[in-house]
Amino acid sequence: MNAVAAPRMIGRYRIDGVLGAGAMAMVYAGFDPGIDRPVAIKCLHRRAAARGLEERLLAEARAAGQLVHPNIVTIFDTGRTEDGRAYIAMERLTGESLASRVAREGLPPLSVVIELATQMAAALDYAHGQGVLHHDVKPENIMLVDDWHYAKLSDFGIAERRAEGAGDGRIVGGTPAYMAPERLRGEAADARSDLFSLGVVLYWLITGKLPWPDMPDLPRLLRERQRLPRPVIDPIDPATPAMLIGVVNTLLSPAPSTRYQRGAEVIDDLRLARKEYERAHESPLASRIISLRTRWIGALAAILCVVLLAGLAAIYAKQNTAVNGLATDFGGSLGRVVAGEAAENLLLHDDAATRALVQDVARNQQIHYLAIANRDGNVVASTAPAELGGALAPAPLSRRVLDDGVTSYRGRMGSAGEAAMLLFDVPIRYQDKGVGMLRLGVSTAPLAAAQRTTFWVIAAVLVVTLAAMVGAAYALFRRPLALLGMLGEAMLRVARGEYGYRIRLVRRDELGRLFATFNLMNSSLQARQPGETPSAPGAAADAAAQPTLVLQADDEDRQALG
């Protein structure tokens, strides 16, 4: 069996072709006829089998076969070929490795990088929780299943189950460029060693290069790690979140005790990095704003409200004064007329005629109270019978003096109970001599009704005027705001490097001048560009594909980082 000719069968699996080849094994496209399922068959090379790795591969594959996780390639079976070499049957994926995708399309955006790292951290956290160490985390062993959105950790061929021990520490399997320093020294490894390898992958994804240069032998690699224990992180994207850089720094810490201790810790910090990235990349046009239309309409409405309220309040006050003046003139005039008719009756002491006069005048619905007192102040006639024979109640001090000694004030009198009235005290004279006093009460209900009517008419005018103004302003401001939105979109296109874009709309106003200024600015920016070339789908990265090796760590190598 070799890399040129694929066998027809391996165990019960039919071989349909070769998927890939590594330093330790070949990977074949297989098919399980028993359950009608495509599989991938990983079979050790003869030289790897000769070095005594078969039993280790089978034992570790059996341990990894217990892992069931959405981000881990499932291992179905293990066995031996007819010539005794070990093989593993695993889930066959339709995608490609992260290494090959980056080599073909360039590095993915940071949002994708964070998501892929989160999925791999989840896979490792689960595997470590089951006691399994991967030992070979690298871009070639990360399979992209659904474009950039979904990945699975593959190739547990040199994985180790911690409960079974590490075997011979002098023999180390893995890819040196991604291995933790303690593994390179041949020391015992744990979950933190896999997280170190994840840190190397993440470093490569954000910088486009490996943290340490590729070295031809283990001693030189150890010395380089010792010379530069913490590589400088220089992200390709200047908007890389500081939190993400901190995650990489922690993962690549030389001492296991200062790294993340579990994959769950990595996931928590990657979530924070994602939030930081999303906040930094929010579209300025999508952020919450107070629209200029709202501001302008609100300002106009406020100004109009103040002006209308001031004007309408003045109108209301004038109207109220006019209505009260009419009521006062009516009451004063009516009182003088009645007083003139009652003068002779009082002079002749004809109380019956005076009472008849009161009853006749009281038929007027606007008159709620009428009382006449003689010169001694005693009431001789009144619409309130209880007042007859008694003294006329004194008037309040706060009263308005009209012509001919007539006074006016508001109060409650006689049988009207609690109803407020506009009262008039009119002196009764006969040939300029006082013979008595008349008190006339006019209802204020018509005044209140007139005031209410005036108030609601003013309020209706205010509301209708405001509604008309707001509607008109909304319609008028719509066009200018649409033009401002078009200018904002144009500026975003410039931010994306589209210096050839121009605003074609011609206007003979301030906005037209603004559009012309934008076009001049973009023309100047375009002239300064050396030449427009189509942008690549992603930044290029150094080749990440490196073979998995079996290293023999001697005592000198173990002490290289001591």
Side-chain angles (χ1 to χ4, degrees):
M1 188 184 306
N2 50 55
V4 177
R8 295 181 60 188
M9 298 288 293
I10 294 181
R12 71 173 187 273
Y13 303 102
R14 187 186 73 218
I15 303 302
D16 296 330
V18 177
L19 295 177
M24 298 176 58
M26 291 286 295
V27 180
Y28 299 102
F31 185 81
D32 187 348
I35 55 176
D36 197 23
R37 175 174 61 188
V39 295
I41 307 293
K42 182 175 182 178
C43 184
L44 281 176
H45 290 308
R46 287 191 178 89
R47 59 179 180 276
R51 296 179 64 179
L53 295 176
E54 288 185 342
E55 290 302 326
R56 175 174 178 146
L57 174 65
L58 291 173
E60 293 162 359
R62 293 189 189 99
Q66 301 178 14
L67 302 179
V68 180
H69 188 272
N71 297 116
I72 294 178
V73 174
T74 305
I75 295 179
F76 299 131
D77 189 18
T78 61
R80 292 182 178 275
T81 63
E82 294 180 355
D83 56 2
R85 284 173 292 164
Y87 70 85
I88 300 173
M90 65 187 73
E91 178 184 6
R92 192 206 298 184
L93 303 177
T94 57
E96 59 184 324
S97 71
L98 177 60
S100 61
R101 174 65 67 86
V102 170
R104 183 166 56 86
E105 297 184 4
L107 292 171
L110 279 178
S111 58
V112 174
V113 169
I114 296 173
E115 178 60 26
L116 293 178
T118 302
Q119 293 181 20
M120 290 302 97
L124 289 175
D125 188 60
Y126 171 78
H128 297 158
Q130 302 298 314
V132 176
L133 305 177
H134 188 280
H135 284 331
D136 201 17
V137 178
K138 60 181 180 179
E140 287 179 286
N141 291 337
I142 298 175
M143 303 300 296
L144 300 175
V145 181
D146 180 16
D147 196 31
W148 288 107
H149 309 299
Y150 182 40
K152 288 197 172 195
L153 185 60
S154 68
D155 200 349
F156 280 76
I158 59 170
E160 176 180 73
R161 192 167 182 83
R162 284 178 289 186
E164 298 176 358
D168 185 3
R170 299 173 62 87
I171 300 178
V172 181
T175 305
Y178 297 88
M179 291 168 64
E182 63 270 16
R183 291 206 66 229
L184 291 174
R185 294 193 296 264
E187 299 171 0
D190 57 21
R192 297 169 294 185
S193 303
D194 278 347
L195 295 179
F196 182 95
S197 301
L198 178 61
V200 177
V201 175
L202 192 50
Y203 182 100
W204 173 72
L205 284 172
I206 67 174
T207 66
K209 58 186 178 181
L210 294 173
W212 297 280
D214 188 23
M215 296 293 170
D217 56 74
L218 183 58
R220 287 188 59 186
L221 179 59
L222 290 171
R223 286 193 293 271
E224 179 64 19
R225 293 281 188 94
Q226 187 178 37
R227 186 188 68 82
L228 187 64
R230 289 185 177 273
V232 177
I233 302 176
D234 184 18
I236 294 175
D237 188 345
T240 301
M243 190 67 195
L244 183 58
I245 296 176
V247 170
V248 178
N249 267 323
T250 305
L251 287 170
L252 294 181
S253 178
S257 60
T258 57
R259 297 176 204 150
Y260 292 105
Q261 304 300 296
R262 294 184 53 215
E265 298 176 6
V266 183
I267 295 172
D268 291 339
D269 281 359
L270 285 174
R271 286 173 180 165
L272 296 177
R274 175 185 294 279
K275 291 180 181 179
E276 181 182 348
Y277 177 82
E278 290 173 349
R279 285 195 299 268
H281 285 74
E282 287 181 350
S283 171
L285 299 181
S287 58
R288 291 185 177 181
I289 61 172
I290 300 177
S291 171
L292 284 177
R293 178 185 295 177
T294 302
R295 293 173 184 264
W296 292 341
I297 292 177
L300 288 176
I303 294 172
L304 184 60
C305 275
V306 171
V307 173
L308 285 177
L309 284 175
L312 294 177
I315 294 173
Y316 180 81
K318 291 291 185 180
Q319 188 265 356
N320 189 49
T321 301
V323 170
N324 283 320
L326 290 174
T328 301
D329 291 343
F330 168 76
S333 298
L334 183 61
R336 292 187 190 96
V337 171
V338 176
E341 293 182 4
E344 186 175 352
N345 294 334
L346 287 177
L347 183 64
L348 299 175
H349 301 287
D350 189 353
D351 295 344
T354 303
R355 286 193 290 270
L357 175 63
V358 169
Q359 292 175 359
D360 184 58
V361 174
R363 292 190 179 96
N364 190 327
Q365 295 182 353
Q366 301 300 322
I367 297 176
H368 281 206
Y369 174 78
L370 178 61
I372 297 177
N374 57 24
R375 69 178 62 189
D376 297 327
N378 297 322
V379 177
V380 297
S382 175
T383 55
E387 294 181 345
L388 293 176
L392 192 65
L397 297 178
S398 58
R399 51 187 176 173
R400 180 183 176 187
V401 179
L402 307 178
D403 297 335
D404 300 331
V406 179
T407 59
S408 173
Y409 55 92
R410 291 180 181 272
R412 306 176 189 278
M413 300 295 295
S415 61
E418 296 297 322
M421 292 181 290
L422 185 60
L423 297 170
F424 298 88
D425 284 354
V426 182
I428 301 175
R429 292 185 177 90
Y430 186 83
Q431 295 182 353
D432 295 331
K433 293 183 180 179
V435 295
M437 179 66 67
L438 178 145
R439 180 167 291 172
L440 176 68
V442 178
S443 173
T444 59
L447 298 179
Q451 289 173 340
R452 286 195 300 269
T453 302
T454 302
F455 173 80
W456 287 114
V457 168
I458 290 174
V461 170
L462 178 62
V463 171
V464 171
T465 305
L466 282 177
M469 188 280 302
V470 170
Y474 187 89
L476 290 174
F477 294 154
R478 181 176 182 180
R479 179 61 177 170
L481 291 178
L483 295 175
L484 288 177
M486 182 177 68
L487 178 61
E489 292 290 342
M491 296 182 72
L492 284 179
R493 297 182 71 165
V494 175
R496 293 193 290 265
E498 299 181 28
Y499 302 116
Y501 180 75
R502 301 290 183 271
I503 297 178
R504 305 300 180 187
L505 183 63
V506 178
R507 292 179 61 90
R508 298 185 181 276
D509 54 16
E510 288 80 359
L511 285 173
R513 183 179 300 174
L514 186 61
F515 294 162
T517 303
F518 169 85
N519 291 338
L520 288 174
M521 177 197 71
N522 222 12
S523 297
S524 299
L525 291 174
Q526 186 180 23
R528 296 178 186 178
Q529 302 304 310
E532 295 187 5
T533 57
S535 57
D542 292 347
Q546 296 191 20
T548 300
L549 304 177
V550 178
L551 307 175
Q552 186 74 24
D554 55 26
D555 294 336
E556 180 180 350
D557 295 336
R558 290 171 180 268
Q559 297 174 1
L561 287 180

